[in-house]
Amino acid sequence: MSSTPFLSVRDLHVHFSTEDGTVRAVDGLSFDVERGRTLGIVGESGSGKSVTNLAVLGLHHPEHTEISGEILLDGRDLLTVGERELEQLRGNKMSMIFQDALASLSPYHTIGRQIGETFRKHTGASRKEARERAVEMLTKVGIPQPDLRVDDYPHQFSGGMRQRAMIAMALVCDPELLIADEPTTALDVTVQAQIMDLLKDLQQETGTSIIFITHDLGVIADIADDVLVMYGGRCMERGTKKEVLSDPRHPYTLGLLGSMPTLDGPVDVPLSPIPGTPPSLLHPPGGCRFHPRCSFTEEVGGGRCATEQPVLELVDGRGSACHLSTEQRARCFADFAGIRPN
Ligand code: SF4
């Protein structure tokens, strides 16, 4: 791994003020994204994945949001730059693909205009150049007859094609960081696989760093190099894809893996969903945020899980936030056979 990550997030806190109190959506999160690698951020809804990435892009409403920590993009702290510079960086250095392409594209403008305008805004290109660039990008993302389809409106594209157009728009200014927020969730599995292959190919070609947000460990197994497991606004586990998927160290990761069907596992073993629901971030549980749902609190003993927040200890980017000792974990996780990531 490179010693200077392209994106380095340090002790990030994102809190929202609401009428009912403060929502601690992200609480002390740190992670790195290396150049040319894909970090998969996985967790259930409400774990803080999307909030984290909107903070990286500077898209939270400043009036109701309190953000602290550091977000270093290529050495520059994004939390200290002005809105104008941030706007330049969004598009030029970093961009985002959202889950719902139909909601993210304007129904009133052609696909080509929308891709071209992003290009024009950041490069000052002429309309003609912008249109040529839009055709070039549609070609790159595999839209057939791009010189004709460039004049189509979003409703004339299929769901998969709209997502490809979104990718074209996100990549039109050659960003060095691409944030993809559940970009394939609304698509059927075949199109999902095509979109992920496309992202992998584009990354190979351009060396873009990618943050891929998902609730689906199967998607992580396909696309990620490194993995961050989030729960209740905190990091539970970090490591390479192989480390996290084949040798999990946190009960929450184990729970996610246990609730995921595999093709090469025994067919008679039922899936075991994690009991309970994610915590309220308005009144998060004390100690380990996962403790109300964890099956191993007795193993730790002394009520420690409910009162003492476990520290995330990392060695070479690998570690988990859990009070279980290595021996206790080996006992508790003994039945886990591991899954083989791609
Ligand atoms: Fe479970 Fe305790 Fe580890 Fe939290 S610290 S994951 S509650 S064993």
Side-chain angles (χ1 to χ4, degrees), residues 250-252 288 290-291 294-297 300 305 310 321-324:
H250 196 281
Y252 179 57
C288 173
F290 188 57
H291 86 261
C294 185
S295 314
F296 306 124
T297 52
V300 173
C305 293
C322 176
H323 293 312
L324 287 170

Side-chain angles (χ1 to χ4, degrees), residues 8-225:
S8 185
V9 172
R10 292 282 160 265
D11 198 26
L12 181 69
H13 293 256
V14 184
H15 295 177
F16 301 114
S17 327
T18 69
E19 283 181 4
D20 298 322
T22 302
V23 174
R24 298 167 192 282
V26 177
D27 238 357
L29 185 70
S30 299
F31 64 90
D32 295 328
V33 184
E34 309 290 334
R35 287 170 198 277
R37 286 177 75 85
T38 299
L39 172 72
I41 302 186
V42 66
E44 291 161 292
S45 299
S47 60
K49 314 179 295 284
S50 298
V51 171
T52 299
N53 287 290
L54 291 175
V56 172
L57 289 160
L59 290 176
H60 285 299
H61 198 295
E63 240 176 68
H64 308 290
T65 318
E66 200 182 299
I67 305 182
S68 64
E70 276 184 342
I71 301 176
L72 299 169
L73 185 79
D74 213 5
R76 194 86 207 273
D77 188 355
L78 299 182
L79 293 183
T80 63
V81 305
E83 182 51 37
R84 220 185 210 178
E85 191 177 344
L86 212 46
E87 214 171 288
Q88 272 303 314
L89 291 170
R90 285 193 295 262
N92 279 345
K93 278 243 182 215
M94 54 183 179
S95 62
M96 185 149 182
I97 308 170
F98 294 94
Q99 180 180 339
D100 187 349
L102 195 56
S104 308
L105 292 165
S106 163
Y108 302 112
H109 299 105
T110 64
I111 295 283
R113 170 102 187 263
Q114 295 185 61
I115 298 171
E117 280 305 308
T118 307
F119 187 61
R120 264 163 61 78
K121 184 176 168 198
H122 289 282
T123 63
S126 66
R127 282 193 193 286
K128 184 169 174 286
E129 287 164 339
R131 185 188 158 84
E132 283 165 8
R133 178 69 173 163
V135 173
E136 184 188 335
M137 291 310 296
L138 289 178
T139 309
K140 206 176 238 186
V141 298
I143 299 290
Q145 299 181 293
D147 43 345
L148 295 178
R149 303 306 299 255
V150 73
D151 295 320
D152 280 358
Y153 288 85
H155 74 268
Q156 292 172 286
F157 272 33
S158 67
M161 282 166 69
R162 278 195 292 268
Q163 204 53 277
R164 283 169 189 265
M166 282 275 292
I167 294 172
M169 193 153 46
L171 295 179
V172 70
C173 295
D174 295 325
E176 291 165 79
L177 174 68
L178 179 68
I179 298 176
D181 191 351
E182 307 252 12
T184 57
T185 304
L187 305 171
D188 68 52
V189 282
T190 319
V191 183
Q192 191 174 67
Q194 288 169 359
I195 296 289
M196 288 203 287
D197 285 345
L198 171 65
L199 283 173
K200 284 187 267 184
D201 289 348
L202 292 172
Q203 184 181 43
Q204 281 235 314
E205 196 183 305
T206 59
T208 305
S209 306
I210 298 178
I211 298 178
F212 201 100
I213 304 168
T214 179
H215 63 275
D216 184 344
L217 273 176
V219 169
I220 291 286
D222 188 16
I223 200 161
D225 297 306

